[in-house]
């Protein structure tokens, strides 16, 4: 069964550094998402992406964040200058279409630790 | 803005016990409802979803959930749990006027004792 994959599984960085989290969505999917979960808190929506542009974004997704689909398979989340409070588990998800009934398939997550 | 509440943060059951996990949401319009499960060390997987029709939805591994619109609830049930059901369970809502974003509850960690 096709799966969403994410690399790395764990990223440790210094505050102020840039990080790029990588996702490979399921191959025939067209809509891509990033969510995050700070330890002990809820999973929160960050951004959705379709046709090479952002469809929606939350208040969390400020100018420090950006997303890109640099090629036909990868979907990346960049944090320009990491802060301590960016430490969280970051999940990528994808769906085939934007239909209301579509299931979002999630990757295993990248644990980001900012020191 | 919509929100989702899962009242049980931790549940411990013995094998063969019945399970009911609560999920309530706050949003007055039409919603799509989901339960996801995360087994230890694995990614979020869809257990079941409701978007219209029969409010009693059956999912994988013997799970079911009932949408009660008047109570804004979508509780997850299983008549007889197994040790392999040990996992974290997340309720999520997509409001039809909120694009594709999912709003998650805080999760319920279930431990089933053999």
């Amino acid at each position: 069964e096709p799966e969403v994959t994410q690399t790395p599984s764990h990223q440790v960085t210094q505050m102020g550094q840039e990080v790029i989290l990588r996702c490979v969505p399921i191959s025939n999917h067209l809509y891509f998402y990033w969510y995050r979960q700070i330890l002990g808190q809820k999973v929160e929506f960050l951004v959705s992406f379709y046709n090479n542009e952002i469809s929606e974004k939350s208040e969390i997704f400020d100018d420090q964040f950006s997303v890109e689909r640099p090629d036909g398979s990868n979907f990346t989340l960049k944090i320009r200058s990491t802060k301590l409070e960016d430490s969280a588990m970051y999940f990528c998800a994808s769906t085939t279409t934007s239909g209301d009934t579509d299931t979002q398939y999630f990757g295993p997550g990248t644990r980001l630790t900012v020191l | 803005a919509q929100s989702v509440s899962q009242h049980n943060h931790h549940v411990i059951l013995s094998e063969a016990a019945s399970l009911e996990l609560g999920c309530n949401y706050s949003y007055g319009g039409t919603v799509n409802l989901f339960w996801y499960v995360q087994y230890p060390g694995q990614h979020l997987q869809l257990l079941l979803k409701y978007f219209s029709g029969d409010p009693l939805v059956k999912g994988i591994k013997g799970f079911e959930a009932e949408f009660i619109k008047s109570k804004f609830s979508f509780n997850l049930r299983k008549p007889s749990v197994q040790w392999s059901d040990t996992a974290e369970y997340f309720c999520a809502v997509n409001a039809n006027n909120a694009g594709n974003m999912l709003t998650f509850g805080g999760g319920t960690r279930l431990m089933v004792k053999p």
Side-chain angles (χ1 to χ4, degrees):
Chain A
E1 185 180 320
E3 290 185 339
V4 176
T5 59
Q6 290 184 243
T7 54
S9 56
H10 192 185
Q11 173 92 44
V12 181
T13 190
Q14 295 291 326
M15 191 169 57
Q17 295 296 303
E18 174 183 286
V19 293
I20 298 176
L21 309 183
R22 291 184 166 78
C23 169
V24 178
I26 294 172
S27 63
N28 64 339
H29 285 191
L30 300 174
Y31 289 80
F32 315 116
Y33 310 84
W34 283 102
Y35 292 80
R36 79 170 185 192
Q37 185 180 27
I38 294 171
L39 188 63
Q41 298 186 25
K42 294 183 178 184
V43 176
E44 302 171 289
F45 169 79
L46 292 177
V47 66
S48 62
F49 189 87
Y50 169 71
N51 200 25
N52 282 320
E53 56 184 36
I54 290 173
S55 308
E56 302 166 88
K57 59 182 182 178
S58 69
E59 293 174 353
I60 303 166
F61 195 87
D62 61 22
D63 292 344
Q64 292 298 313
F65 291 89
S66 62
V67 288
E68 193 179 27
R69 187 146 163 86
D71 54 43
S73 59
N74 289 283
F75 177 53
T76 62
L77 174 70
K78 183 194 290 187
I79 308 174
R80 234 176 299 281
S81 177
T82 50
K83 302 185 277 246
L84 295 176
E85 54 264 38
D86 293 327
S87 294
M89 194 77 163
Y90 288 81
F91 295 102
C92 174
S94 67
T95 63
T96 52
T97 73
S98 68
D100 290 344
T101 61
D102 269 347
T103 299
Q104 293 186 23
Y105 292 87
F106 284 81
T110 293
R111 184 170 297 283
L112 176 65
T113 302
V114 182
L115 303 176
Chain B
Q2 66 239 41
S3 67
V4 181
S5 298
Q6 291 180 243
H7 308 296
N8 312 103
H9 300 293
H10 290 92
V11 173
I12 301 174
L13 295 172
S14 298
E15 275 196 313
S18 65
L19 170 72
E20 180 159 1
L21 301 182
C23 173
N24 287 90
Y25 65 92
S26 64
Y27 179 69
T30 305
V31 292
N32 301 308
L33 300 152
F34 305 80
W35 275 98
Y36 280 86
V37 60
Q38 188 173 30
Y39 297 103
Q42 297 189 29
H43 57 275
L44 287 161
Q45 301 172 41
L46 182 73
L47 267 183
L48 47 78
K49 63 184 180 183
Y50 170 84
F51 47 94
S52 65
D54 188 343
L56 184 62
V57 179
K58 293 195 184 300
I60 60 171
K61 304 188 182 189
F63 286 91
E64 65 179 32
E66 184 175 11
F67 171 49
I68 303 179
K69 190 174 181 180
S70 60
K71 294 185 178 180
F72 298 91
S73 69
F74 189 56
N75 292 355
L76 181 71
R77 299 194 293 248
K78 185 170 183 177
S80 175
V81 294
Q82 301 171 304
W83 175 78
S84 57
D85 293 324
T86 294
E88 189 157 16
Y89 292 81
F90 295 91
C91 182
V93 168
N94 165 244
N96 282 359
N97 74 345
N100 299 322
M101 61 175 282
L102 292 176
T103 300
F104 282 84
T108 298
R109 202 174 288 274
L110 172 66
M111 179 185 292
V112 179
K113 298 185 292 185

